[in-house]
Amino acid sequence: MDQLLQTWNALDLRRRIILVLAVAATLAAVLALARVATKPGMALLYSGLDPSAAGEVVGALEQMGVESEIRGDAIYVPEDARDRVRLSLARDGLPRQGPVGYELLDGLSGFNATSDMFDAAYWRAKEGELARSILASPGVRSARVHLAVGSRRPFARSAAQPTASVTVTMGGGGLTSAQATAIRYMVALAVADLSPDQVAVIDSRNGVVLAPGSETPMASALTEAAEREAKIKAEIEDLLAARVGRDKARVSVTVETDLEGETLTERIVQPDSRVTLHSDTEEIRDSSTGTEPGVTIASELPEGAAGEGGASTAERTETRERLNYDYSELLRETVRAPGAIKRISVAVLVDGIVTEDASGEPVWAERPAEELEALRELVVAAVGFDEARGDIVTVDSMQFQPDAMPGTEAEANGIMQFLERNAMTLIQIGVLSLVALILAFTVIRPMLSRRSREDEAALMGELLGADAEVPGGAGAGAGDEGATELLEPQPTITESLRLTVAEQTDETVALLQEWLEGDGEAAEEEAA
């Protein structure tokens, strides 16, 4: 402690200021280094949230007293508290997923809401519920639904046709036509009088997937054919990869479909199979009895003079039968929609076999015909080959051309992942450590050791005499600015002695002789 006080007292004002600033900078660097080193790692809490939902999460974190960082649309919290924070936020219903649904209607009452206000809130709630249902589909990141439903007027002859549009953002990849069709029918079935053809489905990245009125039978058939081709191609590639290896086969599939639809009605009458449908029998009987006047001379006489005629009887029987017959018939109606397969064409290109010769050079050879035939049989069985339909399957072996820039995909190991996550922290630690070392070795240490070197130089001056020149000492000239520079390297006491003895040999010998004589006189006095 005394040495530090002596060193401090020996410094001038300028050096004291420099020393104080250097010590303060070193302490600040050390404190910052300790803070960075002890700071916990930050882990991702949520990302991709809506601004409103993100604001609610940040407000809840501030109330909980949890440190957080916002990087773009991502929220980071200390790694050791991430799981606990997620559970606490989930208990409070945060973050709110998707738009608001039917809960909008909870705040409406008959006293403060008109019919127009209720209709607007109802359709807004309907849009929110549909968006929630779409978000439940796998791969969907966000969704918005817009319904255009006209208000019903009492004296209008017909109501306006409702329409709808759906905007979907996928987390990865694009929205397929099958998913768009499912979304279209889900929205159409949720709104009364809404036709599926009046629903537009839009992918925010790839544009319109289904436009209004695009769901025609022909368009559906083309989409189905494309999906069928992709499915057959993937199945064949997986099948061939087990034998020839991955990326050793190229497959092209073409499915020709019939784009015309027709309805067939067939009526077959069987005349041999007569069937009685109705039978009606009618029988008529008629009988009459009377006298038949005789034609005689007496009949021409006056009344009373003619004689009576003979008696007569008449009977009639009539039977009628009516039968209604019908023949059995077969009525058959067949509806053929567009999309029937007309022909399937498959072309498979397989790479050959690569071996090494005696010198180690790669040698390419075509695959044997027997192997190609076996691969063709596998492809034929996989695609459902029909010779009568005109299907074609071709398998050939040719040499593949190497890629222009061959390379392997770099896989990040544990150390690389650690460096990526903590790159900025490591850079901060390195910079602060470098600053602390520079300040300690270039400012503080030279200033603390300068006093001892000056004392040594003064002692040498006393030993060599006031007129002797001591290299690097106080006698080197107090007015020399180069000797008083703070960062100038100074020679040690041993080096100074060697230089002095080499330059001033006579003075050194005289000094030693005087010292020896002084020691001899002192010894005689002690002996006396």
Side-chain angles (χ1 to χ4, degrees):
M1 190 66 183
D2 295 337
Q3 185 178 0
L4 292 177
L5 292 176
Q6 294 176 1
T7 303
W8 175 261
N9 295 329
L11 298 177
D12 55 3
L13 180 60
R14 183 175 64 86
R15 293 179 180 178
R16 289 181 180 181
I17 295 174
I18 295 175
L19 181 61
V20 170
L21 294 178
V23 172
T26 304
L27 292 178
V30 172
L31 292 177
L33 179 63
R35 181 178 180 182
V36 172
T38 58
K39 183 179 180 180
M42 305 301 287
L44 177 64
L45 180 64
Y46 296 112
S47 63
L49 298 177
D50 294 334
S52 59
E56 293 178 354
V57 172
V58 172
L61 293 178
E62 293 177 353
Q63 294 180 359
M64 295 168 59
V66 178
E67 181 182 1
S68 63
E69 292 183 3
I70 300 176
R71 305 174 186 174
D73 60 349
I75 302 175
Y76 287 81
V77 296
E79 188 174 0
D80 55 351
R82 181 187 61 180
D83 297 337
R84 176 177 57 84
V85 170
R86 283 184 177 177
L87 293 177
S88 300
L89 293 176
R91 178 190 59 193
D92 299 335
L94 297 176
R96 302 186 186 277
Q97 298 293 335
V100 183
Y102 284 132
E103 56 267 21
L104 281 174
L105 304 179
D106 296 338
L108 296 179
S109 62
F111 298 99
N112 59 357
T114 62
S115 60
D116 294 337
M117 294 174 58
F118 180 82
D119 290 341
Y122 173 78
W123 290 116
R124 182 184 172 191
K126 177 72 75 173
E127 293 174 353
E129 291 295 330
L130 290 173
R132 286 179 176 178
S133 300
I134 296 173
L135 286 173
S137 302
V140 179
R141 182 178 179 181
S142 62
R144 291 289 303 274
V145 180
H146 301 279
L147 301 177
V149 181
S151 59
R152 297 182 178 273
R153 298 180 179 180
F155 301 101
R157 295 184 178 180
S158 60
Q161 179 69 25
T163 58
S165 61
V166 182
T167 304
V168 180
T169 302
M170 303 298 294
L175 183 67
T176 62
S177 59
Q179 292 175 326
T181 303
I183 292 174
R184 163 178 279 184
Y185 279 97
M186 181 184 66
V187 174
L189 294 176
V191 180
D193 299 331
L194 178 58
S195 175
D197 295 339
Q198 299 300 321
V199 179
V201 182
I202 303 171
D203 190 347
S204 60
R205 297 178 180 176
N206 301 327
V208 178
V209 179
L210 289 180
S214 63
E215 190 63 17
T216 60
M218 182 177 297
S220 178
L222 293 175
T223 303
E224 184 179 356
E227 294 177 353
R228 187 181 292 124
E229 290 176 356
K231 181 180 179 181
I232 295 176
K233 179 181 178 181
E235 291 177 353
I236 295 176
E237 288 179 348
D238 293 339
L239 183 64
L240 296 178
R243 171 59 184 172
V244 301
R246 185 67 62 181
D247 297 333
K248 293 293 185 179
R250 299 292 185 268
V251 181
S252 176
V253 180
T254 302
V255 178
E256 298 181 9
T257 58
D258 189 0
L259 301 180
E260 296 181 357
E262 59 181 354
T263 302
L264 301 177
T265 302
E266 184 179 4
R267 180 181 180 185
I268 302 175
V269 179
Q270 300 177 354
D272 297 336
S273 58
R274 189 179 63 176
V275 179
T276 303
L277 298 180
H278 179 69
S279 176
D280 187 9
T281 303
E282 181 181 359
E283 183 177 356
I284 300 174
R285 292 184 179 181
D286 187 12
S287 63
S288 61
T289 303
T291 58
E292 183 178 354
V295 182
T296 59
I297 297 174
S299 62
E300 300 296 334
L301 295 177
E303 185 178 357
E308 296 181 359
S312 63
T313 302
E315 293 183 1
R316 184 173 64 89
T317 302
E318 182 180 353
T319 303
R320 297 178 180 178
E321 184 178 2
R322 181 182 299 173
L323 298 177
N324 294 331
Y325 297 97
D326 197 0
Y327 296 95
S328 62
E329 62 180 2
L330 178 62
L331 185 62
R332 182 181 301 164
E333 183 175 355
T334 304
V335 179
R336 294 177 54 188
I341 299 177
K342 297 173 59 177
R343 187 175 64 175
I344 298 178
S345 300
V346 181
V348 179
L349 181 61
V350 183
D351 195 5
I353 302 174
V354 180
T355 57
E356 295 182 357
D357 55 7
S359 61
E361 295 294 332
V363 178
W364 184 89
E366 186 177 355
R367 294 184 179 272
E370 295 79 5
E371 184 179 357
L372 294 178
E373 184 62 26
L375 294 177
R376 183 181 182 279
E377 292 179 358
L378 291 176
V379 175
V380 165
V383 302
F385 182 80
D386 188 357
E387 186 177 0
R389 192 171 52 190
D391 295 350
I392 300 175
V393 175
T394 303
V395 179
D396 202 351
S397 177
M398 294 183 182
Q399 185 177 5
F400 284 11
Q401 295 297 327
D403 296 334
M405 299 179 61
T408 57
E409 183 180 0
E411 296 181 359
N413 52 18
I415 298 178
M416 296 300 297
Q417 293 178 357
F418 174 79
L419 293 177
E420 290 178 359
R421 291 195 301 265
N422 303 280
M424 294 303 300
T425 302
L426 295 177
I427 293 174
Q428 292 176 359
I429 292 175
V431 171
L432 292 175
S433 301
L434 182 62
V435 171
L437 292 175
I438 292 175
L439 292 175
F441 284 97
T442 61
V443 179
I444 299 177
R445 183 185 176 189
M447 295 190 68
L448 293 177
S449 60
R450 188 175 183 84
R451 178 59 184 173
S452 60
R453 289 198 300 269
E454 291 180 352
D455 293 342
E456 293 174 357
L459 178 61
M460 291 177 59
E462 294 178 358
L463 293 175
L464 299 178
D467 297 335
E469 181 179 357
V470 182
D480 189 9
E481 294 296 335
T484 58
E485 289 294 333
L486 183 62
L487 300 180
E488 179 182 2
Q490 302 294 334
T492 61
I493 185 64
T494 305
E495 294 176 353
S496 299
L497 288 174
R498 289 178 180 176
L499 293 174
T500 304
V501 171
E503 295 176 357
Q504 302 178 10
T505 306
D506 297 337
E507 290 81 356
T508 303
V509 173
L511 180 62
L512 291 175
Q513 184 177 1
E514 183 180 355
W515 180 73
L516 290 175
E517 292 177 355
D519 289 344
E521 295 177 356
E524 292 178 356
E525 292 177 358
E526 290 178 2

